[in-house]
Amino acid sequence: MTTNHVHKPRGFQLRAASDFYAGFTPGSGMAAAATDRLTLAFRLDRTFEPVVVALREEPEALVLEFAGSDDGAAVRKQVSRMLGLEADGAEWQAVGERDQVVGTLQREFPGFFTAAKASPYDAATWAMIAPRMNQNQAAAIKQAMARELGDRVELAGHVQHIFPAPAALLSLRAFPGLADEKVARLRGIAEAALDGRLDADRLRALGEQRALAELQTLRGVGPWVASHIYYRGAAPLDDLPTAEPRVLHGLAHAYRLEAPTADTFTRIAEGWRPFRMWVCVLLSRHLARSGGWHAPSLARERTLAGRELAKRTTRRSSSRSAASRQG
């Protein structure tokens, strides 16, 4: 076991992140929350080493105890991305001071910055497993894959099972509960991960539109799944998800708007910079708490939003290609 420290931004509370992960079904097997600590189990960026990290809070820092890897810098970097520790806490609070609704959301979830998936690889594998089944069923399959195909890492006397590395998924031909097409899609995700196409730093450097367009070239990845991989896996601070209608529903409820359009969403979100994505996470949590998470129109709205996102991505890619040819 190795012990490291990471700076704790002003206003951050570990318990707030623990509260989120405690009810986060897509993260089943990835996070275990307690009142005073948080345990995260995941694969490191690039090397895909299995890691278990136990976090506890001190006045000025977070203490990280981890096992599975000796690369403390990589562990700190990835945990910081997942929990938003890379940001300026005062700057985040300033968004709530400028926008009263955001301030109310911050007080509704005190000490919460963000809580992302461990990586684009983690987000992508979940998105291949979960369609057309309820989340608890998908989580059970994910955990079974971790036990049967993944790695065991022991930390402080507790054993955690880590979801399989890409190399293990490449040879997968069948798994109980998964259709053949889902297995084929998982192999495609594994290949992309090993090629470096799902690296979080790389996707962030590409930028929102290029990253979303490239992700949609993968088997089984449409506009919504690409958005999930990018926004929740690469965890950018200031991009704006438009293919998830729950964010619009959360906006409508929090700002007391009647059916806001995407243009209204974009205009209001300008005031959230440089944390537009973080505010969207708060809006989604607010919607879930207010009882609007399972609105009957969501599937249709998601399809329409995905089509619009695909059109915008195609138009911008065509414009860049034309500009490149002219240059």
Side-chain angles (χ1 to χ4, degrees):
M1 181 177 72
T2 304
T3 301
N4 269 209
H5 292 73
V6 64
H7 171 68
K8 184 177 70 172
R10 173 184 167 187
F12 175 88
Q13 295 179 27
L14 183 62
R15 179 176 292 187
S18 297
D19 288 346
F20 175 88
Y21 283 118
F24 185 49
T25 303
S28 295
M30 185 191 81
T35 55
D36 61 344
R37 63 179 54 222
L38 173 67
T39 300
L40 299 169
F42 55 91
R43 291 196 176 273
L44 277 184
D45 294 334
R46 301 183 181 180
T47 66
F48 302 105
E49 290 179 277
V51 176
V52 177
V53 185
L55 297 95
R56 56 184 171 84
E57 192 167 11
E58 292 184 347
E60 300 298 329
L62 294 175
V63 180
L64 280 62
E65 297 175 341
F66 60 92
S69 173
D70 296 326
D71 193 343
V75 171
R76 290 194 304 272
K77 179 180 178 181
Q78 199 158 340
V79 169
S80 294
R81 184 180 73 228
M82 294 166 68
L83 301 182
L85 306 178
E86 57 193 351
D88 184 325
E91 194 173 11
W92 169 231
Q93 294 301 315
V95 178
E97 294 168 3
R98 295 195 303 267
D99 186 312
Q100 292 185 354
V101 174
V102 175
T104 299
L105 292 170
Q106 290 174 334
R107 290 188 292 274
E108 183 178 357
F109 303 100
F112 182 79
F113 280 29
T114 193
K117 302 278 282 183
S119 64
Y121 172 68
D122 183 63
T125 53
W126 171 260
M128 297 301 102
I129 294 169
R132 296 181 176 83
M133 62 176 69
N134 68 56
Q135 289 201 341
N136 290 331
Q137 182 183 3
I141 291 173
K142 179 185 175 187
Q143 290 173 318
M145 294 181 74
R147 290 191 301 271
E148 297 181 30
L149 305 173
D151 292 280
R152 299 169 76 255
V153 177
E154 182 175 342
L155 179 66
H158 297 282
V159 173
Q160 301 284 342
H161 295 273
I162 317 299
F163 188 81
L169 292 185
L170 272 183
S171 59
L172 186 66
R173 290 297 176 265
F175 196 85
L178 289 181
D180 290 346
E181 175 60 24
K182 288 190 175 185
V183 173
R185 291 177 179 184
L186 282 170
R187 290 198 301 269
I189 292 300
E191 183 177 355
L194 290 172
D195 288 345
R197 286 178 283 165
L198 296 180
D199 180 72
D201 286 344
R202 176 181 176 276
L203 290 174
R204 282 180 162 195
L206 282 176
E208 182 178 26
Q209 295 305 319
R210 288 183 63 193
L212 292 173
E214 183 177 297
L215 288 168
Q216 288 177 70
T217 66
L218 302 177
R219 182 169 180 169
V221 177
W224 187 88
V225 171
S227 296
H228 177 73
I229 295 170
Y230 178 69
Y231 296 116
R232 301 300 291 140
L237 278 67
D238 195 41
D239 287 320
L240 197 63
T242 58
E244 176 48 75
R246 285 192 176 102
V247 178
L248 266 184
H249 284 241
L251 182 84
H253 192 278
Y255 282 83
R256 299 182 181 179
L257 301 172
E258 186 70 30
T261 65
D263 288 341
T264 300
F265 175 32
T266 302
R267 176 179 54 78
I268 293 174
E270 281 299 308
W272 307 340
R273 289 182 182 274
F275 295 101
R276 290 180 299 168
M277 185 62 211
W278 285 21
V279 177
C280 290
V281 175
L282 287 183
L283 289 171
S284 297
R285 296 194 72 189
H286 172 77
L287 180 70
R289 180 172 285 186
S290 66
W293 191 254
H294 297 291
S297 62
L298 283 171
R300 179 180 59 83
E301 292 176 30
R302 181 178 285 171
T303 299
L304 294 174
R307 289 173 183 169
E308 183 57 34
L309 175 62
K311 290 178 184 177
R312 291 200 306 274
T313 301
T314 301
R315 285 197 299 267
R316 290 177 183 178
S317 296
S318 299
S319 297
R320 283 195 301 271
S321 296
S324 177
R325 288 193 299 269
Q326 291 172 4

